[in-house]
Amino acid sequence: MDEMAEQLTERLAVDLDDGFTELVRLHASAVRAFLFRVCGSAAEADDLGQDTFLRAYTALQGYSPQRRRDLRPRAWLMTIAANVWRNHVRTSVRRPVAVTAIEDTSQSWPDERPGPEERASTAEDRRRLVSALTQLPEKPRVAVVLRHVVGLSYGEIAEAQGCPVGTVKAQVSRGVDSLRLLLDPEQPPRREVLK
C-alpha cells in the first residue's frame, strides 16, 4: 500500500467522518469515470456514484478501526461501484443504453483551447468510444474500464472482480480486441503481451 493510502486508512480508523471526506475527495473522480464508462450516461454515473459512496460509508460504520486500517481503498471502492452498477442493471427495465450527449462529456475535458475542428473530432472520438464500450459484455467492459480508464493494476482488478489475475488479463485483452473491432471493423485485432 502506498503512503497516501496508508494515511487515508489511518484517518478512516481514527475519525470516520474526516477520513471519509478525504476518501471521497481522492477517489470520487475515478469512481465517476468508471461508472460513466460502463453505463454511458453522465447523469446515471452521478447517481450510481452517490449510491457507491453511501454504501461505502454504511459499510465503514460497521468496520472496526483495524479493519479500516487494512483497507485498500481504491480497489475496495471500485468493487462497490461495480456491484452498484451490476445491481442497477439487474433491477432496471431492459432498455437500450442511451449514449451521453456530447455536451455532457465535454464539460469534463481540461480546457486546452483546441480549435473547432479538433474539438469536433475529439468529441466524436469520445462519443464513439463510449458507444463502443456500452456494446461490450459486462465482464470485459468492467475490466477494460478499470484498467484503462481508472488505472487499476491487474491485481487490484482481480481483487475487485473476485477472480484470478489471469482471468482479468484475458478479459482486458478480449475487451480491447472487441473495442478495436467495433471502432475499426476493417482492422484485425492486434495481439498484445500483457505484463
Side-chain angles (χ1 to χ4, degrees), residues 29-92:
S29 62
V31 168
R32 186 186 186 281
F34 164 73
L35 291 167
F36 176 67
R37 295 297 183 239
V38 295
C39 72
S41 164
E44 199 171 6
D46 289 339
D47 291 344
L48 295 174
Q50 288 179 5
D51 194 21
T52 296
F53 283 104
L54 177 63
R55 289 176 191 228
Y57 186 77
T58 303
L60 286 169
Q61 286 178 320
Y63 288 5
S64 69
Q66 186 55 46
R67 186 169 180 194
R68 291 182 205 155
R69 279 185 187 93
D70 295 339
L71 271 181
R72 295 181 46 177
R74 192 167 76 153
W76 180 73
L77 277 173
M78 291 306 159
T79 301
I80 295 171
N83 289 335
V84 164
W85 175 70
R86 283 186 196 106
N87 290 341
H88 172 73
V89 169
R90 282 187 202 115
T91 59
S92 64

Side-chain angles (χ1 to χ4, degrees), residues 11-195:
R11 283 176 84 170
L12 285 168
V14 173
D15 181 358
L16 177 59
D17 291 336
D18 177 55
F20 188 75
T21 301
E22 186 67 7
L23 178 81
V24 172
R25 188 185 70 74
L26 290 173
H27 297 289
S29 62
V31 168
R32 186 186 186 281
F34 164 73
L35 291 167
F36 176 67
R37 295 297 183 239
V38 295
C39 72
S41 164
E44 199 171 6
D46 289 339
D47 291 344
L48 295 174
Q50 288 179 5
D51 194 21
T52 296
F53 283 104
L54 177 63
R55 289 176 191 228
Y57 186 77
T58 303
L60 286 169
Q61 286 178 320
Y63 288 5
S64 69
Q66 186 55 46
R67 186 169 180 194
R68 291 182 205 155
R69 279 185 187 93
D70 295 339
L71 271 181
R72 295 181 46 177
R74 192 167 76 153
W76 180 73
L77 277 173
M78 291 306 159
T79 301
I80 295 171
N83 289 335
V84 164
W85 175 70
R86 283 186 196 106
N87 290 341
H88 172 73
V89 169
R90 282 187 202 115
T91 59
S92 64
V93 176
R94 296 285 179 198
R95 62 187 186 280
V97 177
V99 176
T100 303
I102 292 172
E103 294 80 27
D104 290 346
T105 60
S106 66
Q107 293 173 3
S108 63
W109 296 341
D111 188 11
E112 297 177 6
R113 303 283 180 199
E117 291 175 11
E118 185 179 329
R119 285 178 45 197
S121 76
T122 302
E124 178 60 22
D125 290 345
R126 284 182 185 252
R127 185 199 60 73
R128 287 182 61 227
L129 181 58
V130 168
S131 177
L133 275 168
T134 60
Q135 294 176 47
L136 293 179
E138 175 186 327
K139 289 184 180 186
R141 180 187 335 175
V142 170
V144 166
V145 171
L146 288 174
R147 177 71 180 147
H148 294 292
V149 176
V150 178
L152 293 183
S153 69
Y154 289 111
E156 289 174 316
I157 298 169
E159 184 180 322
Q161 297 278 62
C163 63
V165 172
T167 302
V168 169
K169 289 180 178 182
Q171 289 171 349
V172 170
S173 179
R174 279 190 223 110
V176 169
D177 285 349
S178 296
L179 279 175
R180 283 189 180 114
L181 284 172
L182 289 167
L183 294 170
D184 190 3
E186 295 176 18
Q187 188 77 306
R190 293 186 316 210
R191 299 305 325 157
E192 294 182 19
V193 177
L194 299 174
K195 298 176 185 170

